[in-house]
Amino acid sequence: MIEIMVDLQGGAKAPLYEKIYGHIRGEIICGRLLPGEKLPSTRLLAGNLAVSRSTVEMAYHQLLAEGYIKAEPCRGFFVCDITELYQLGIETPQRTAGQAAAGGRRGKRAAAAERETAEERKAADVRIDFSPYAIDTGHFPYNIWRKLYRNVLLDDGEELVLSGDGQGDYGLRCAIAVYLHRARGVNCRPEQMVLGAGNEYLELLLAQILGSGKKVLMENPTYLQAYRTFRNAGCEVETVSAGEGGLSEDAVRGKNPDVIYMMPSHQFPMGTVMPFGQRLALLRWASEAEGRFLIEDDHDSEYRYRGKPIPALQGQDSSGKVIYLGTFSKSIAPSLRISYMVLPESLAEVYREKCGFYSTTVPRVQQEVLRAFIEEGHFERHLNRMRGIYRGKHDFLLGELKRYGWVRAVGGAHAGLHVLVTAESARTEAELCRLARERGVQISGLSGYVVEARREPQKKTADRAAYDGARSAEQTPAVLLLGYGKPTEQEIVQGLEILNEIVN
């Protein structure tokens, strides 16, 4: 058995188990730990490194899962021969006979040639990220999440390795239902809820529940992922302008859809709130005929900085016409990939008949950790903390924008994680985005969220002219989406200075 020394103090900030895992993995790849060598026991290594035994166990479990070591009953942990791991892009060292005879562990260092994808290179070039999708990950409750994750794994329950309920674990659905009722006024039972890995999966599922060939009406500009998902699912998707009136009763009756996709509490990307009377009118429209439904995407309702929270439309529905969609991507972390859908009772029955055989797309461990995170009160405390942080960034950004003469108007403020800035510039919207990107600043233009008319080109001008800034940049000023979730106050200042240079 060999000794292993790991520098837990130096290097990048990371959990201790990750440092132990990374060190041993590197030693194996570089050939300093040879195939068949026995590793210290978890108890011995924990004592040598002055860490808890569970920390070492988590590192060993990760190495086991990735095939770098193997466990032999009553004997311990041993280094695996990783020469067959070439598919993972790992270059293993070739040892000469002399090196093997000498018992040296030096070997040839594996080339750390991790090939960056285009997306990784793109992310590396961005210094200041004004993306409306980005969030502040620096305040993620890592310690709490790590503790809950460890507790779930240490329970060693057999249910964690089983596929589980296709709708999602019942305990997590109960926790979400309680939270939604208290925070958003949503009225539902756990039996009406379906969990899935992202809104796109749930929307594909919903298209199957509703049946083929349905006509879906959306505002324009809109959340393009939803638009494309419904089109790919075989739905006929039409749009109405998100300008003044938006999804008005007259516009809806003129299009005569089966389903309306809407974001009444905070329309993306315009940032508008649907008036109460308009909501009631759409509920009335849906209740007039069988097969009509409203899809309420409540994507970032947790973040509102002025006035009272806007109650969910679902809570006002007494006819079973609202399908409610929500996600934890912005409230916790994008990588969590847990979204939820609340179906009316009638559609919940259809789901069980048509799609009840589908397996869950969310890992059981993640579901258990999230359940504990919600039930123990960590989620609401995290939300309250992030509201304060985002409110501070929101107010700081608005204050900084007042310093620049090229800022003609600011819209969509006081909620969500972005604002719309109408910019006075001789440059086009596309040019501003490109030049900013070349300077390391990620921004996007409003026209990037506009659904282009396809089969009826003559409608294109009417659709785009109905809201300010959505026509071509030669006719109207550029409208930029500036997200404030990710950047620090210092980065906001630097980013606006760069924009000031390229706008003028």
Side-chain angles (χ1 to χ4, degrees), residues 165-169 172-173 176 193-206 223 225 229 325-329 333-341 351 358-364 366-367 370:
D165 193 326
Q167 284 186 241
D169 286 356
L172 176 55
R173 285 185 280 138
I176 296 175
M193 188 178 297
V194 181
L195 307 183
N199 279 22
E200 291 82 5
Y201 166 78
L202 294 178
E203 287 159 0
L204 289 171
L205 198 64
L206 184 57
Y223 182 59
Q225 281 89 328
T229 299
L325 288 176
T327 180
F328 292 100
S329 293
S335 64
L336 188 59
R337 299 300 295 164
I338 298 182
S339 296
Y340 47 89
M341 174 170 63
Y351 163 80
Y358 288 156
S359 298
T360 180
T361 56
V362 183
R364 295 291 304 283
Q366 283 193 4
Q367 294 189 58
L370 180 57

Side-chain angles (χ1 to χ4, degrees), residues 59-94:
Y60 276 18
H61 285 165
Q62 187 65 33
L63 292 165
L64 279 168
E66 295 183 10
Y68 292 103
I69 65 175
K70 61 182 178 181
E72 297 186 7
C74 303
R75 294 193 62 208
F77 297 94
F78 296 84
V79 177
C80 292
D81 184 351
I82 63 170
T83 56
E84 298 301 320
L85 295 181
Y86 66 92
Q87 293 126 320
L88 300 179
I90 298 172
E91 296 184 17
T92 57
Q94 302 295 321

